[in-house]
Amino acid sequence: MTFDLVPLTGDRAEGYRKLTAQAAAMLSGETDRIANAANLSALIYHSLPEVNWAGFYFYDGRELVVGPFQGKPACVRIAPGAGVCGTAAHTRRTQLVPDVHAYPGHIACDADSRSEIVVPLIGDGELIGVLDLDSPRVARFDETDRRGLEEIAEVFVRSLSGL
């Protein structure tokens, strides 16, 4: 199976629809969490402009532990409620942070990151982890990104159960 990793341009909402369809096709028939997270983080990283980190943290029952990602080495463990990822996990709400330097308690894994979006992964009412994206540009992420990445996160969660 081959996927064209073409950066999304033009209408961003339409670009996210195409990216979501690619993600669904790529994950179809595979239920392994690590395999799907690895492929999905690569697809996102190479498709979205101005992203310097894209990946997953998985909840182990106590804390978030880094999973597959694309970008510079990352923080390995994050407590629920700590930083942007821990806040998304604790609140179970997407966190959209225009300037991470203005975010109280931000955990700086990559000094080049300036904005961040973190989508919680919830399956059957349980926290699975989070999908995390960073950008070197302030205010890189907006509501279009939130909606698009939440759809992609849902595709990932559904893949784990084979749906």
Side-chain angles (χ1 to χ4, degrees), residues 45 51-53 57 70-75 100-101 106-116 134-136:
Y45 183 83
V51 169
N52 63 324
W53 202 93
Y57 279 89
Q70 299 283 309
K72 291 181 181 178
C75 303
V100 295
H101 296 296
H106 175 251
I107 300 169
C109 296
D110 180 350
D112 293 334
S113 293
R114 294 298 311 272
S115 60
E116 186 171 9
D134 293 354
S135 174

Side-chain angles (χ1 to χ4, degrees), residues 1-3 6 17 21 23-24 50 54 61-62 65 70-71 78 83 85 88 96 118 128 143 157 163:
M1 177 180 338
T2 303
F3 286 88
V6 179
R17 283 189 285 279
E50 297 182 289
R62 294 177 308 144
V65 181
Q70 299 283 309
I78 300 173
C85 288
L96 193 125
V118 182
I128 297 167
E143 286 299 311
V157 170
L163 299 176

